[in-house]
Amino acid sequence: MPTSNKQKRERQKKRLQQQKRQQQQLHVIQASAGVPDVEPHVVILRLVFAYLSPKPLLGSFGTQLLEHLTSLQKVAGVSRQWRSVALPLLYNIAAVALVEPHMKTNGIGGLYREDDKIKILSNVRLIRDVDQVDNISEMRIVLQGGSLAASELTSMIEYSGIGESVWPNVKRLQFDMFQYGGEYPLRPEGGSVRVDMGPLNKLLSQALPALREISFEGSNAYNLYGGVPIKQLIVDRLYGPTPLRVLKIESSRPLDLGRHGGQRSNKPLELERLCMNCKDPSDIVDLPCTLASKLVEFSFTSSFVDTIWNAFMPDDGHRGLVFSSLQSLTLTFTIVEAMVRLLPIFNIHETPLYLSSMRFGKPLFPILTSLDIRWFPQDLCRFLTLFAVSPISKLTICSVKHRMPEQLILSQFRSLRSLSVLYYDDVFSGGLGYADASLTRVFSTTTANLQHFMLATTTSGLIKSYIRAPTFAKNLVTLTLGGCISLREVELLLPMFSSLQKLRLSAIICPPISSSAKIVQECRALNTPRPLLPLNKSLRLLRAEYLKHFTPVPDWKNTRILPQDMASEELVYRGLVLKLVTRLPLLDTLQVSDISLGAVEDCIHALAESDIALQCVSHLKHLRLMTLGD
């Protein structure tokens, strides 16, 4: 008996020692991962509620989300500890959605309301009830319908309860206006009518004192309110005591930042990220010169090409600006006429400044690493020379084929590590001559140190059998192919890259196979009398999505041959397995869509279990299948 008790004590002692060691190991893991030293069950609770917590997207805030929050709040109320863990995770975004009734046509071109009631969906009062106001970091306001008068808009937002509290930790405001498809506002107040948005701006300014980021989207804002309804809030925060760091504007016309700054326009700004997407701009865009030295990321869409071109051309009669902090620049040119000028500090009506790649022996963009140019219709090669002395490591060029230069030389970008070239087709592009010559120059002039390359086109046949291996063939790690590139073109490219690790295929053309039995039959035929050679002996990961099979169908209107999808996604993925996967001996991971996962598993199993004793089949037994979301 004493011996038995002694053994029990020994076993108990060992268990305690083991639990202590496990707890110490957990603390070490948490410390190395930067996780606070907390009890294991608290960590588990946080993981559970982090997974359950709602994440509303743009325009998706509605009754279902509120019901979800209410049910989770009941679960969180199980104990005090559960509440302390769950509430900060469940309540970090405050949202207000003003949903107007749908408009209907009366049959003679007019619009009328089916119901005059406006729904207000909000979790603001719920947040106040559970005392989580201080935990909120983001505020979202969504107007769905787009015909509220200015006074109505202010009243509805005030009624939601935003103005009844000060939200001290809200750093981001997202304000969006969505209009029902193709319909005009019922009560337009824009145009020449002056709309007073002062009360709305005052309400938001008092309720959100710590804003550092504002995002606005609303293509019908100028029709309703004569401009961006929160314009004054934006301008005040640009030059205020807690200045904005991030500003994103998507509207019909761009927001003038210099003109509305008044005498404050010469004050240094702290704005680091500026994104302006203008769908129908007609006014001049005023950008204060003080932005140049602070901007880290600048994106401008719908810009009038002539004015942008002049803005980046050298002129000895004007001062140049140095974007000393700019790291990312995206310029998207369209046929819509938008004008951009960088205003001098003291005289906003002075002639626009002209920029060059160098100023007083120093680069204009000394630390620019990411450059994205889309739809530039003039001399693209000359335009790119403006960035020749910048340390560009990521470059994206996108245009229709007949505007993509045949002599596209990229040797000036010696620091390039990632390159994306996108050739888009249109009815005036003619043949593939432009793209052929252009791609040949890209392959022969790009730095050998390139590691990531993306190629996309809207017409198949770009890759020819006689194309030479690119200069970067030995060092490329990731290859992305998209658009209407065919699987045959993929087969031509893969043998060129001896160090390739990842291949991503998006919307490429692939031949369909009707069944798993058919794939075994065709595999046997393809490898008789001798086995096919591997396409690549280094590739480890293949990701494939939106694959399609096209059958030529005549388009009589444009007298061209247009592609038409005639096969299901499952059939096309079987073709991918046969033509590509079986010829990649070192492939260990294949990512496909959820819909096609079952079909891919069946055909790989059929090949692996068949009597085909070839390397192209044997390696499939160890292939790991994953969905695109994994």
Side-chain angles (χ1 to χ4, degrees):
M1 188 71 177
T3 304
S4 177
N5 290 336
K6 184 177 180 181
Q7 290 175 347
K8 288 182 180 179
R9 286 194 298 270
E10 289 292 332
R11 286 196 298 268
Q12 186 178 12
K13 183 178 179 181
K14 288 181 179 181
R15 283 197 300 268
L16 291 173
Q17 291 175 345
Q18 184 178 7
Q19 291 175 357
K20 187 175 181 180
R21 284 195 300 269
Q22 290 175 346
Q23 191 171 13
Q24 289 174 345
Q25 290 174 355
L26 177 62
H27 291 166
V28 170
I29 293 173
Q30 290 175 342
S32 62
V35 180
D37 187 9
V38 294
E39 296 297 325
H41 68 278
V42 175
V43 175
I44 295 173
L45 272 177
R46 287 180 179 176
L47 291 174
V48 170
F49 280 105
Y51 177 78
L52 294 175
S53 62
K55 300 170 181 61
L57 301 175
L58 282 176
S60 66
F61 187 84
T63 53
Q64 292 182 349
L65 178 60
L66 286 177
E67 292 172 358
H68 184 50
L69 278 170
T70 304
S71 62
L72 287 178
Q73 185 180 353
K74 294 178 181 177
V75 176
V78 169
S79 67
R80 181 180 299 177
Q81 188 177 55
W82 278 46
R83 284 194 298 273
S84 65
V85 171
L87 292 182
L89 294 172
L90 298 180
Y91 299 101
N92 52 21
I93 296 177
V96 176
L98 307 179
V99 183
E100 289 197 85
H102 286 271
M103 306 294 180
K104 289 193 173 182
T105 306
N106 60 13
I108 56 174
L111 296 172
Y112 69 92
R113 287 177 183 266
E114 183 183 21
D115 183 2
D116 282 335
K117 294 181 180 179
I118 299 174
K119 297 179 181 179
I120 302 179
L121 308 174
S122 173
N123 66 344
V124 169
R125 299 190 186 279
L126 194 59
I127 290 171
R128 293 175 58 200
D129 291 343
V130 295
D131 195 25
Q132 291 296 309
V133 170
D134 291 350
N135 186 58
I136 304 301
S137 59
E138 180 177 347
M139 179 78 69
R140 297 186 183 186
I141 299 176
V142 180
L143 172 59
Q144 295 179 342
S147 66
L148 280 176
S151 57
E152 287 181 310
L153 177 61
T154 304
S155 298
M156 294 299 173
I157 292 178
E158 187 174 11
Y159 182 78
S160 70
I162 289 179
E164 297 176 15
S165 302
V166 175
W167 307 76
N169 296 315
V170 172
K171 299 296 191 295
R172 184 175 189 270
L173 171 63
Q174 185 168 321
F175 195 113
D176 299 299
M177 299 172 58
F178 296 107
Q179 188 175 341
Y180 295 128
E183 296 170 350
Y184 294 96
L186 185 65
R187 292 190 298 270
E189 297 188 34
S192 59
V193 180
R194 182 178 178 84
V195 181
D196 183 15
M197 303 303 301
L200 173 64
N201 285 268
K202 182 178 179 180
L203 184 153
L204 294 176
S205 181
Q206 292 176 349
L208 309 173
L211 284 178
R212 305 308 294 270
E213 177 179 350
I214 294 180
S215 175
F216 174 82
E217 180 179 352
S219 59
N220 60 333
Y222 277 81
N223 292 332
L224 277 171
Y225 311 119
V228 176
I230 56 172
K231 176 177 62 179
Q232 192 57 49
L233 174 68
I234 293 172
V235 173
D236 289 344
R237 293 307 167 88
L238 276 174
Y239 300 97
T242 55
L244 286 181
R245 294 294 178 87
V246 179
L247 176 60
K248 299 178 181 179
I249 301 291
E250 182 170 345
S251 64
S252 58
R253 299 178 185 177
L255 181 66
D256 299 324
L257 302 181
R259 186 184 311 172
H260 295 288
Q263 296 181 350
R264 299 174 294 179
S265 296
N266 61 348
K267 179 180 178 180
L269 298 178
E270 298 297 325
L271 196 66
E272 296 178 352
R273 294 175 58 196
L274 174 61
C275 178
M276 300 183 73
N277 186 352
C278 315
K279 297 181 179 179
D280 185 23
S282 59
D283 293 341
I284 290 177
V285 182
D286 294 333
L287 301 178
C289 290
T290 49
L291 276 177
S293 61
K294 285 293 184 180
L295 276 180
V296 175
E297 180 180 337
F298 179 40
S299 175
F300 194 87
T301 303
S302 294
S303 44
F304 182 45
V305 63
D306 289 336
T307 307
I308 282 285
W309 174 253
N310 290 332
F312 283 89
M313 282 287 94
D315 190 302
D316 294 334
H318 300 86
R319 294 179 299 160
L321 296 179
V322 176
F323 291 82
S324 54
S325 302
L326 194 65
Q327 298 179 23
S328 177
L329 175 63
T330 300
L331 296 175
T332 303
F333 302 87
T334 69
I335 59 175
V336 180
E337 296 186 0
M339 292 174 285
V340 173
R341 68 182 183 191
L342 298 168
L343 299 177
I345 295 178
F346 299 107
N347 183 3
I348 65 172
H349 299 294
E350 188 178 323
T351 305
L353 301 173
Y354 294 85
L355 311 179
S356 61
S357 59
M358 298 284 289
R359 186 63 182 170
F360 303 118
K362 295 182 179 180
L364 178 64
F365 305 95
I367 63 172
L368 185 68
T369 57
S370 178
L371 177 63
D372 190 331
I373 305 295
R374 297 174 184 262
W375 317 114
F376 190 75
Q378 295 188 6
D379 191 344
L380 179 61
C381 291
R382 185 182 179 193
F383 188 73
L384 290 176
T385 62
L386 300 175
F387 309 94
V389 294
S390 303
I392 303 293
S393 61
K394 182 179 181 181
L395 175 64
T396 298
I397 304 172
C398 172
S399 188
V400 292
K401 290 197 298 292
H402 76 283
R403 289 178 177 174
M404 191 72 81
E406 294 185 40
Q407 302 299 320
L408 186 57
I409 300 175
L410 302 178
S411 55
Q412 61 205 26
F413 300 107
R414 300 178 181 178
S415 302
L416 204 60
R417 295 296 179 268
S418 177
L419 173 63
S420 298
V421 182
L422 298 87
Y423 296 93
Y424 278 79
D425 195 11
D426 64 10
V427 295
F428 305 108
S429 64
L432 289 172
Y434 274 95
D436 288 345
S438 176
L439 185 61
T440 299
R441 299 294 287 180
V442 169
F443 274 18
S444 62
T445 63
T446 302
T447 174
N449 295 322
L450 194 74
Q451 297 180 349
H452 311 281
F453 180 60
M454 175 183 178
L455 176 65
T457 177
T458 54
T459 305
S460 60
L462 181 61
I463 309 298
K464 301 295 192 298
S465 59
Y466 53 79
I467 194 168
R468 293 184 178 181
T471 54
F472 49 85
K474 293 182 179 180
N475 295 315
L476 197 70
V477 176
T478 303
L479 175 64
T480 302
L481 301 172
C484 290
I485 292 178
S486 67
L487 189 59
R488 174 56 184 161
E489 293 174 273
V490 178
E491 294 173 4
L492 292 174
L493 284 175
L494 282 183
M496 300 178 182
F497 306 107
S498 57
S499 301
L500 194 65
Q501 297 291 309
K502 300 177 182 178
L503 174 62
R504 298 169 181 168
L505 303 178
S506 179
I508 70 164
I509 303 172
C510 191
I513 295 180
S514 58
S515 65
S516 297
K518 184 70 173 177
I519 197 175
V520 174
Q521 179 183 346
E522 292 200 18
C523 183
R524 184 179 289 109
L526 286 173
N527 289 276
T528 304
R530 63 178 64 90
L532 293 175
L533 295 175
L535 291 173
N536 188 283
K537 295 183 179 181
S538 62
L539 193 66
R540 298 283 185 176
L541 171 66
L542 172 59
R543 177 186 174 95
E545 56 187 344
Y546 308 121
L547 302 187
K548 56 186 178 288
H549 169 64
F550 282 167
T551 300
V553 174
D555 175 22
W556 304 111
K557 182 179 180 180
N558 294 320
T559 63
R560 300 166 57 217
I561 298 298
L562 294 182
Q564 179 174 320
D565 197 353
M566 301 294 290
S568 71
E569 192 172 351
E570 292 184 0
L571 305 185
V572 175
Y573 270 95
R574 290 195 188 103
L576 178 77
V577 172
L578 174 65
K579 298 287 187 178
L580 191 60
V581 175
T582 58
R583 301 182 66 184
L584 301 173
L586 292 186
L587 189 70
D588 54 34
T589 303
L590 174 61
Q591 286 185 288
V592 298
S593 67
D594 296 348
I595 299 176
S596 305
L597 184 62
V600 173
E601 284 179 333
D602 290 343
C603 65
I604 286 180
H605 178 75
L607 284 170
E609 297 300 321
S610 68
D611 58 352
I612 303 176
L614 296 173
Q615 183 183 8
C616 66
V617 173
S618 60
H619 82 278
L620 297 179
K621 297 178 181 180
H622 309 290
L623 187 65
R624 181 174 59 169
L625 282 177
M626 300 174 64
T627 61
L628 297 174
D630 293 337

